[in-house]
Amino acid sequence: MIRQVEFRLTAKRRGCHLVTAEVLRNLPQPLPQCGLLNIFVKHTSCGLSINENADPDVRRDMESIMNHLVPENQAYYQHTLEGSDDMPAHAKSTLTGVSLTIPISKGKLNLGTWQGIYLCEFRDYGGERSIVATIMGD
């Protein structure tokens, strides 16, 4: 069986945000006993990642690392009409990626103890983000 839903994550400020609970609230229940969840964000200036779900310092550090790797206001940027955070957001989105595939076991996401789903918002004002969730399983 394959099920697919589309939903919007609430608007987030720039940074890395733990959204596991928000994603789960929007998934059709029950989840299959065995399967896969693919989540895809339909935007080019944010990304999805799986990372530490316990210490919020990790989320702040990830934002700092991304800003160090892809700084704003570089003279070589040509795509600048949408603000100084836009082109770096596109590059950061390419680095993180826009989709995740997570195993489903015993009707639950089979994440590690310290793993959570991040929305990495790379724009100062990105707004709500559209997610397509595809659930495959028995």
Side-chain angles (χ1 to χ4, degrees), residues 26-114:
N26 285 282
L27 297 180
Q29 299 295 326
L31 293 177
Q33 287 300 299
C34 180
L36 294 171
L37 167 67
N38 177 269
I39 54 175
F40 172 81
V41 62
K42 295 172 62 172
H43 300 275
T44 61
S45 55
C46 63
L48 295 170
S49 179
I50 292 178
N51 216 309
E52 163 106 21
N53 67 2
D55 186 350
D57 287 344
V58 173
R59 295 189 288 280
R60 287 187 287 273
D61 288 347
M62 289 302 297
E63 168 69 6
S64 296
I65 290 165
M66 286 299 216
N67 290 335
H68 179 76
L69 290 172
V70 187
E72 293 183 12
N73 299 310
Q74 297 302 297
Y76 53 86
Y77 292 161
Q78 294 181 33
H79 178 73
T80 58
L81 294 177
E82 295 179 52
S84 63
D85 65 335
D86 189 48
M87 187 58 232
H90 294 313
K92 293 171 186 177
S93 176
T94 295
L95 292 174
T96 59
V98 294
S99 69
L100 298 171
T101 299
I102 302 167
I104 299 170
S105 302
K106 299 178 184 173
K108 298 183 185 225
L109 298 185
N110 196 345
L111 293 167
T113 301
W114 307 111

Side-chain angles (χ1 to χ4, degrees), residues 8-12 41 43 46 119 121 125-130:
R8 297 179 72 75
L9 294 176
T10 59
K12 312 268 189 273
V41 62
H43 300 275
C46 63
L119 172 71
E121 178 56 69
Y125 305 103
E128 292 182 338
R129 298 303 193 167
S130 295

